[in-house]
Amino acid sequence: MTEKRKQEKTNTSNENKRAEGMKRRTVLKALAGVPVAGLLGFEILRKTNYEADKRKQIVRELGLDDIEFPKMDYGNAKPSGDLIRLGFIGFGTRARQLSHALGFMHPTDTESWKKRKLLNDWLQQEYLNVAITGICDVFDEHAQNGIDTASNKVRPGGDGAAALPVKRYRTYHEMLADDSIDAVLIATPDHHHARIAIDAAKAGKHIYCEKSVALKEDELNELYETVKQSGVVFQLGHQITQSIVFKQAKEIIKRNLLGKITLVETTSNRNTASGAWIRHLDAKGNPKPGNEQTIDWKQWLGEAPYAPFSADRYYNWTKWFDYDSGMIGQLFTHEFDAVNQLLRIGIPKSVMSSGGIYYWKDNREMPDSLHCVFEYPDKDLTLMYSGNLASSRGRGRVFMGHDGSMELGNNAIITADRNSTRYAEGIQSGVIDPSAPMISFNPEAGQIDAVSSASERYYASRGLTTTTVNGRRIDVTHLHVREWINCIRNGNEPSANIEMAYEEGIACIMAHQSYVEKRMVQWDEVNRKIV
Amino acid sequence: MKYETNYTKLQTYSLVLLRWLIGWHILYEGIAKLLNPDWSSLGFLQQAQGIMSGFAGWVTSHPTVLSTVDFLNTWGLIAIGVGLLLGICARTAAWAGAILVFTYYLTCPPLIGVEYARPVDGNNLIVDKTLFESIALVVLAVFPTSAVVGLDAIIQRLRTRRNGGVK
């Protein structure tokens, strides 16, 4: 071996050594990220355990270990049973909304919903296997809107959806006499509701009736008896209790998490002309259509005292007591239903109302500031209602108990009371913080959110406009009409049945009477009448 | 994929530290979404303003598109996070991350007169932490370190060896 070759060999082995050494270092450096990833994994595990523990602690403290929330079958059911043929009595704004809930939309609405990117969501709505085959309205334009809506082929169910001819009826009597109508939706001004519903029940038609159910006690009694005897499925037009949050709130009440509830406060605030029922002008400020030639005024008045035709009365009927009971009939009805569905309070022992016309000083009879106190001495409970049409400050709907309170809107926020007996230990030990919501229900999540982070707390304090079922946003009115349709098919009782409607109707008539007569109104339970 | 670096040690390790921190953040964002079965981008997308609002509206109005976006987003974040943290295809991960995070920024940019119902982290005017993160990812893509600290070092070496030994 020459010196040169020896030298080369040494060089090579040195290089190899260097290469091996570099390899070890390279591998070590290459893997340097692994322990960092391991640390992240460890921290994630710690965080998950911590949150699970904290949640478990609160859940155990509240006895919610075994809580189960009703899973809705929404969207799973295939359209079942026979096609149900529906007739609309009254086709104004509310009827348009009800049509949407049933799966029908006016062509101009389909266009605007498409532009607002809402149409696709709506087309995913469950197909109810119903057809609107009859429209009755005293105003030609509204009747035509109804026909166009019922005939529009752009709808959930697509081409498979039933397409039947749509007929216009001049009077609701004609519609009720027609055997090809199975069920009716009553969406007229309120003074017609009870009379039409009574006649519909007599004709054996199932009824979806918008609130208020009745303006007069004798009409309400007659309706109650007639529906009871006829066996038709009656649903009063409320929708908020269909929200998934309501079903969760029901569980909270059932488990007595709030302790003894002695006060429920309900409110409604609005601050617009439209919110104060001034609606005879369109968006551009021009008078809406309609005159004595196109509106059957005599039929519109019905059994109400005669008044000459005016667009003001036609569009803004809520302002007069002949057609409605103002905020009680339009707004408090929903509040009463919400509370009654949760607490089954029934008819109050007494009602005292007061208020006045303090802001909208037009020709109205209805007060724009109104406060009613409903007493339930047998249940140790006061229900309060306070409404105002000149401030839009949100005041919520709050159930107040000794151990906690629940604010219930589109979400439910439960806060422990700082002087609660039940949670005293939990508050002392720091598990429960009475200054922040103890539990909230996130309707988007559909589960208890016991550990409320800052952002979750924030969401809970806001409202959501629709409910979420199995991850889909659903219109609550759709769920309400769907329940009615399902009950027609399977003979079950809907949630806002005639019993609930009767209790609500009596409570509202008492509140209205108290305002008008400026005195406390009582319920005579023995003779079942208002005194 | 081979690239040479001539950074000083301090430069290298500063960049590696930045890569790890962003990798950690992005990986945890992905895993947190994976661990929460109720997570959805719906709320975020509903808030969309500006040039992304049309796209966001399209996504939210199609349930299948929304769930696809949710799936891709969650796993995309996880893949990018792992790439940055362990240094696997770190340059690609950094570019992908920069683009993804920049779309978040574009969806809800803190512009004057644009308001969001969602809680905002800190006080932001045009520039926010999302924009920072996106640009930091661009920096990481332009100044790669995974061939020194990261599994890319091994990958690169194996590849070089296959192509005819150390040169």
Side-chain angles (χ1 to χ4, degrees), chain A residues 126-140:
Chain A
E126 196 178 292
Y127 172 58
L128 299 179
N129 197 19
V130 297
I132 301 174
T133 56
I135 301 286
C136 175
D137 197 290
V138 297
F139 181 21
D140 295 338

Side-chain angles (χ1 to χ4, degrees), chain A residues 246-378:
Chain A
F246 242 87
K247 304 193 190 301
Q248 292 161 337
K250 219 168 192 168
E251 199 61 31
I252 294 296
I253 299 284
K254 208 167 94 189
R255 282 167 187 260
N256 199 26
L257 287 191
L258 306 182
K260 181 168 175 167
I261 300 170
T262 53
L263 177 60
V264 179
E265 195 177 68
T266 65
T267 61
S268 43
N269 275 26
R270 299 187 186 194
N271 197 13
T272 62
S274 164
W277 292 284
I278 300 167
R279 299 177 175 178
H280 59 287
L281 300 175
D282 65 16
K284 288 178 187 149
N286 300 317
K288 286 186 185 170
N291 53 44
E292 263 180 296
Q293 278 70 54
T294 51
I295 294 171
D296 182 347
W297 184 243
K298 194 166 161 261
Q299 206 186 154
W300 188 90
L301 283 172
E303 290 170 12
Y306 176 79
F309 173 83
S310 80
D312 191 13
R313 267 176 201 263
Y314 177 74
Y315 282 108
N316 309 331
W317 48 267
T318 305
K319 297 196 303 190
W320 288 276
F321 290 154
D322 282 338
Y323 320 121
D324 182 51
S325 54
M327 277 196 276
I328 294 170
Q330 297 297 318
L331 303 174
F332 171 69
T333 42
H334 284 308
E335 299 303 319
F336 185 88
D337 181 57
V339 178
N340 202 20
Q341 295 278 355
L342 282 182
L343 302 181
R344 290 300 293 118
I345 49 175
I347 298 169
K349 181 77 190 95
S350 69
V351 183
M352 183 70 217
S353 304
S354 81
I357 305 166
Y358 299 144
Y359 187 85
W360 299 98
K361 295 191 180 289
D362 49 15
N363 51 1
R364 69 182 56 214
E365 285 174 336
M366 62 162 290
D368 53 26
S369 187
L370 178 73
H371 318 281
C372 315
V373 181
F374 303 77
E375 295 298 347
Y376 292 84
D378 300 347

Side-chain angles (χ1 to χ4, degrees), chain A residues 152-216:
Chain A
N152 191 355
K153 295 231 160 40
V154 182
R155 49 179 292 207
D159 295 334
L164 295 180
V166 188
K167 186 175 168 190
R168 180 182 176 186
Y169 299 86
R170 290 283 156 184
T171 68
Y172 78 85
H173 303 281
E174 281 174 37
M175 181 187 279
L176 295 180
D178 192 336
D179 287 339
S180 67
I181 298 276
D182 301 313
V184 292
L185 294 100
I186 303 167
T188 58
D190 292 14
H191 63 290
H192 291 290
H193 288 175
R195 177 49 48 205
I196 297 175
I198 291 165
D199 291 344
K202 282 182 185 159
K205 313 287 186 201
H206 301 292
I207 302 159
Y208 184 99
C209 181
E210 271 301 318
K211 44 76 194 173
S212 323
V213 60
L215 300 183
K216 297 185 195 117

Side-chain angles (χ1 to χ4, degrees), chain B residues 96-155:
Chain B
I99 294 165
L100 183 64
V101 174
F102 193 62
T103 58
Y104 297 161
Y105 171 77
L106 284 186
T107 308
C108 295
L111 305 180
I112 297 166
V114 176
E115 283 173 25
Y116 302 101
R118 291 198 146 218
V120 175
D121 182 16
N123 296 298
N124 302 308
L125 178 65
I126 301 170
V127 173
D128 65 6
K129 288 164 194 162
T130 312
L131 183 60
F132 263 134
E133 192 165 25
S134 167
I135 301 308
L137 281 162
V138 172
V139 170
L140 290 177
V142 176
F143 296 93
T145 49
S146 62
V148 182
V149 182
L151 291 171
D152 281 339
I154 295 178
I155 296 167

Side-chain angles (χ1 to χ4, degrees), chain A residues 486-505:
Chain A
N486 285 346
C487 290
I488 294 175
R489 290 214 169 95
N490 59 29
N492 288 347
E493 277 289 317
S495 57
N497 64 8
I498 191 67
E499 294 291 342
M500 301 297 275
Y502 182 75
E503 292 166 6
E504 177 185 315

Side-chain angles (χ1 to χ4, degrees), chain A residues 454-456 458-459, chain B residues 47 116-122:
Chain A
S455 67
E456 282 158 343
Y458 177 88
Y459 282 121
Chain B
Q47 299 257 316
Y116 302 101
R118 291 198 146 218
V120 175
D121 182 16

Side-chain angles (χ1 to χ4, degrees), chain A residues 34-86:
Chain A
V34 176
V36 184
L39 184 63
L40 172 60
F42 175 70
E43 290 296 325
I44 290 175
L45 216 62
R46 242 164 45 97
K47 187 175 156 94
T48 318
N49 283 342
Y50 169 78
E51 281 172 0
D53 272 358
K54 192 171 168 198
R55 185 169 179 275
K56 221 184 278 169
Q57 248 181 319
I58 296 180
V59 167
R60 204 181 302 132
E61 179 83 29
L62 299 180
L64 292 176
D65 315 47
D66 57 339
I67 199 161
E68 263 180 41
F69 292 117
K71 280 269 173 205
M72 290 188 78
D73 61 346
Y74 187 82
N76 301 331
K78 290 263 168 266
S80 59
D82 294 333
L83 177 78
I84 295 175
R85 297 158 301 178
L86 305 171

